[in-house]
Amino acid sequence: METTLYIPPLGLAGQFGAPAGFAAAVIFAHGTSSGRMSPRNARVAARLREAGFATLLMDLMTEGEKADPANQFDVHRQSERLLLAVRHLRAATTVERKPIGFFGAGSGAASALIAAGRAAEHDGIGAVVCRGGRPDLAEEWLNAVAAPTLLVVGSKDAPALDLNNDAFTRLHCTKALEVVPGAGRLFEETGKLDQVADSARSWFTTHLLKAANG
């Protein structure tokens, strides 16, 4: 069952789903021109809930901010919104002190990585998965990421493959880079998004549930 949350102080909307007995949660960070209703992220989130994870798909901008194209790639501001969501889940939902991970897509990959780097001192992010996109936009924050991080990119998305390879070399945490054969930028080819979901489930199971059972 999913419920709508409004994350203070801006009242950003989020779709929160928590299967019975869940041991960890995953917050989704979407890319530009997307939001909590992203069909691709919703599909991955559904697979994670089937595997026993709570999920939060949230808007990272207000309606007013969405109207200004200059805000689309403000990954630093969006990373702050992710940390607000972490604190709200811990304070106001059954997530409480359970492990939390990030799933970032598109430019949301950078937002997730920046938030994970910034969270090291306060909020303790347990794992990160990035689907394609722009992890390079996290810039110097890549050095601060302590959470185990999986980068997933399509073999047919040459620009993203180069950017992800570069970001991978700059990460100093437990890490992996998975190239999905025959997949493009949006993983629209038959079965490719399911492959991403399976990889995310495996990564979060290994790193988040290990922490939950630790």
Side-chain angles (χ1 to χ4, degrees):
M1 178 179 178
E2 290 187 71
T3 57
T4 302
L5 302 179
Y6 295 95
I7 298 159
L10 297 172
L12 296 169
Q15 298 301 118
F16 179 63
F22 76 93
V26 177
I27 301 174
F28 282 70
H30 57 77
T32 57
S33 71
S34 188
R36 72 183 189 280
M37 298 303 182
S38 162
R40 283 176 288 276
N41 282 349
R43 188 168 166 183
V44 174
R47 294 287 289 271
L48 291 179
R49 288 193 299 274
E50 290 171 0
F53 295 93
T55 61
L56 175 67
L57 294 96
M58 63 177 291
D59 290 333
L60 296 177
M61 293 187 288
T62 66
E63 290 303 316
E65 290 168 345
K66 291 177 185 177
D68 184 350
N71 292 323
Q72 294 293 323
F73 284 95
D74 191 346
V75 294
H76 292 276
R77 179 189 294 177
Q78 292 169 24
S79 74
E80 294 172 1
R81 309 289 168 78
L82 291 174
L83 294 178
L84 290 172
V86 170
R87 292 161 196 165
H88 184 67
L89 288 186
R90 295 209 186 283
T93 75
T94 52
V95 172
E96 297 177 331
R97 300 309 303 174
K98 294 181 176 69
I100 293 177
F102 289 141
F103 182 98
S107 60
S111 302
L113 288 165
I114 293 169
R118 294 178 58 185
E121 296 181 5
H122 307 291
D123 300 289
I125 298 306
V128 179
V129 175
C130 297
R131 172 176 64 81
R134 299 292 307 276
D136 59 297
L137 293 174
E139 299 174 330
E140 70 274 7
W141 284 103
L142 289 169
N143 294 324
V145 176
T149 297
L150 170 65
L151 305 179
V152 185
V153 64
S155 68
K156 292 164 57 176
D157 188 3
L161 188 56
D162 288 342
L163 294 171
N164 277 262
N165 271 310
D166 178 64
F168 183 77
T169 64
R170 296 161 61 192
L171 288 166
H172 301 296
C173 53
T174 298
K175 60 185 180 178
L177 173 64
E178 178 180 343
V179 180
V180 179
R185 183 174 68 89
L186 297 177
F187 295 84
E188 294 178 307
E189 299 83 2
T190 301
K192 300 306 180 184
L193 190 60
D194 290 335
Q195 192 169 336
V196 174
D198 288 343
S199 296
R201 181 189 62 201
S202 177
W203 192 261
F204 288 133
T205 297
T206 298
H207 297 289
L208 286 187
L209 295 189
K210 179 180 179 181
N213 297 326

